[in-house]
Amino acid sequence: MGSVKFAVFTDLHHDVIPDGLERLEKFMKRAGEAEVDFIIELGDFCCPHHKNKELLKVFHSFNKPHYHVIGNHDTDLYTKKDLMNWLGMDHSYYTFECGNVKFIVLDSSFIKYGNEYEVYYRRNYEKTEGIYPSIPDYELTWLQREISESSLPIVIFSHHSLDNNFRNRGVANREEVNSIINKAADEKKILICVNGHDHADSINKINKTYYFTLNAMSYKWLGSEYEHFCYSREIHSKYPYLKDIFLYNEPLSAVISIDEKNNIDIQGMKGDYQKITPKELGITGTFDGRIISSNVSSKSLMYK
C-alpha cells in the first residue's frame, strides 16, 4: 500500500467544555466514514481521571490503529507517567509506519534549566524561570537518528508548533529542530509537520517542508479580559472557563491523505462559533501569533 489516509484532531479540552464526548463521537463518525488507516489526537485531550474513562473508551474503540500525542494541559493535575499509563503509552515520543510513510511523534512538554530538562506536571510551567516548551537534546538526537535511518517519507507530529515564534507558543528550540529537518529534507522526504496547541489554522512552508497548525477541536481561548456569559448559570458554574473561550459550533478536525507521489491532500472543515464570535467583542486579527479562525483549511500540497 503506497498511499495513506488518517484523521486527526487536537485540543479537545474535554474537562473545560460541556460537550466533549459529543464532539469526539462526531469525529469518530467522520473518521469511520472516511475509511482512514488510523486516527491520532495531538494533545490536550483530557485529564487522566476515572470520570473520563468513557471518553477514552470511545477513542480506543476505533477498529484501526489510534495514537496519542502528549499536550501541556494533559498533565495539569497529574504526572506524565500517570498520563502515559492511563492512555496506554509506552513512550512519550515514538514512531510508527503506515503505508509507505514513517510517522514520528515528538514530546515537547519539557522545561529546560541549564543543561537539565524537567517534564511538565501539575502546571509547573506556570511558575518557572526555565525555557519552555523545549525538546530535550536526547530527543533531538533520537529524532535525527530516526530520520537518517529511514528510507521512507516522513510526517512529524507534535503538540507545540515547530514554526510559531510568538513568545512561549512554539517550541523554544525550534531552530534546532528545523535545522535537523532542513538538512534531512535535502536527502529525505520530510513531507509535513502537524501540530496543535495554538487553537488556530495555519499552513507555512520552511525550506522544503510544510508546517500545518491544526485548529482546536473545541474552541478559541482569549482570556478573562473578554469574559462573556452565554450559557446557563448552571453550565457556567460547572465549567468556569467557558466565560473566557469561544466555543466552535462543530468539532474541528482534518482528514489527511498522502498519495504514492507524496502529494498531500488536507480535507478540513468550515466552522463557526456557538453563541458569540470574537468579532462581536471587538477581537480581530491575530492572537498568540496566529490569525483568529473557526476553520480548518482544506489544502492540496504538492511535494517537490
Side-chain angles (χ1 to χ4, degrees):
M1 180 178 65
S3 61
V4 62
K5 182 193 291 187
F6 60 93
V8 54
F9 74 89
T10 188
D11 295 88
L12 172 63
H13 290 276
H14 174 66
D15 299 282
V16 301
I17 61 172
D19 59 352
L21 183 59
E22 179 183 348
R23 289 174 184 270
L24 178 61
E25 289 172 340
K26 287 183 177 180
F27 166 81
M28 300 296 282
K29 181 179 179 182
R30 184 186 187 195
E33 291 175 348
E35 298 182 338
V36 299
D37 299 302
F38 69 87
I39 61 173
I40 186 167
E41 60 90 9
L42 302 184
D44 288 358
F45 183 44
C46 67
C47 287
H49 192 277
H50 65 84
K51 68 179 181 180
N52 291 331
K53 282 186 176 180
E54 183 179 4
L55 188 81
L56 187 64
K57 183 179 180 181
V58 169
F59 186 84
H60 285 178
S61 69
F62 195 67
N63 61 3
K64 293 180 180 179
H66 37 274
Y67 302 97
H68 298 279
V69 178
I70 292 178
N72 55 301
H73 287 297
D74 291 321
T75 57
D76 277 354
L77 303 176
Y78 297 85
T79 67
K80 188 175 288 187
K81 185 176 181 180
D82 292 332
L83 174 67
M84 291 172 61
N85 288 339
W86 195 77
L87 293 175
M89 297 176 68
D90 294 325
H91 303 283
S92 65
Y93 53 94
Y94 58 95
T95 69
F96 62 93
E97 294 179 9
C98 185
N100 285 332
V101 180
K102 179 172 183 172
F103 296 88
I104 297 179
V105 174
L106 298 178
D107 179 3
S108 52
S109 292
F110 291 87
I111 305 168
K112 184 177 182 180
Y113 297 96
N115 295 321
E116 301 296 325
Y117 295 89
E118 180 175 284
V119 299
Y120 280 26
Y121 72 98
R122 299 192 178 99
R123 291 185 177 269
N124 59 340
Y125 55 85
E126 292 183 344
K127 303 175 181 178
T128 178
E129 297 298 324
I131 301 171
Y132 71 97
S134 293
I135 297 179
D137 295 340
Y138 52 83
E139 187 175 338
L140 293 183
T141 299
W142 169 87
L143 171 64
Q144 195 165 20
R145 183 176 66 249
E146 289 294 330
I147 292 174
S148 66
E149 292 179 354
S150 177
S151 61
L152 298 176
I154 292 169
V155 172
I156 297 176
F157 295 118
S158 61
H159 180 67
H160 299 94
S161 168
L162 301 180
D163 74 308
N164 191 352
N165 60 9
F166 186 86
R167 291 192 289 188
N168 292 332
R169 297 306 297 177
V171 169
N173 55 335
R174 60 189 169 276
E175 290 185 1
E176 296 176 63
V177 185
N178 294 154
S179 178
I180 293 172
I181 292 172
N182 290 343
K183 288 178 182 178
D186 291 332
E187 301 176 4
K188 307 282 182 176
K189 300 180 177 70
I190 312 295
L191 303 180
I192 191 169
C193 299
V194 187
N195 69 274
H197 186 61
D198 287 343
H199 293 235
D201 176 45
S202 171
I203 297 178
N204 293 317
K205 192 174 185 181
I206 301 175
N207 196 19
K208 298 179 181 179
T209 303
Y210 291 102
Y211 290 77
F212 174 37
T213 293
L214 176 63
N215 208 339
M217 176 178 268
S218 302
Y219 65 81
K220 179 65 180 179
W221 178 89
L222 290 166
S224 58
E225 180 181 353
Y226 301 101
E227 70 176 24
H228 50 280
F229 298 87
C230 300
Y231 300 86
S232 69
R233 180 179 298 179
E234 290 76 17
I235 290 178
H236 276 290
S237 176
K238 187 174 182 180
Y239 300 97
Y241 289 105
L242 270 184
K243 65 180 178 59
D244 305 326
I245 65 181
F246 295 79
L247 273 175
Y248 298 146
N249 197 39
E250 293 294 329
L252 299 183
S253 63
V255 174
I256 301 178
S257 302
I258 303 172
D259 68 18
E260 292 85 350
K261 295 182 179 179
N262 300 319
N263 297 315
I264 302 168
D265 181 69
I266 301 174
Q267 292 297 318
M269 295 178 64
K270 288 187 175 181
D272 206 342
Y273 299 93
Q274 272 194 8
K275 297 285 187 177
I276 190 172
T277 70
K279 189 174 182 180
E280 288 178 278
L281 293 184
I283 311 166
T284 58
T286 62
F287 188 86
D288 284 347
R290 301 293 196 196
I291 294 174
I292 297 171
S293 171
S294 58
N295 303 317
V296 173
S297 293
S298 293
K299 293 281 187 178
S300 293
L301 308 175
M302 306 300 292
Y303 178 79
K304 295 181 181 179

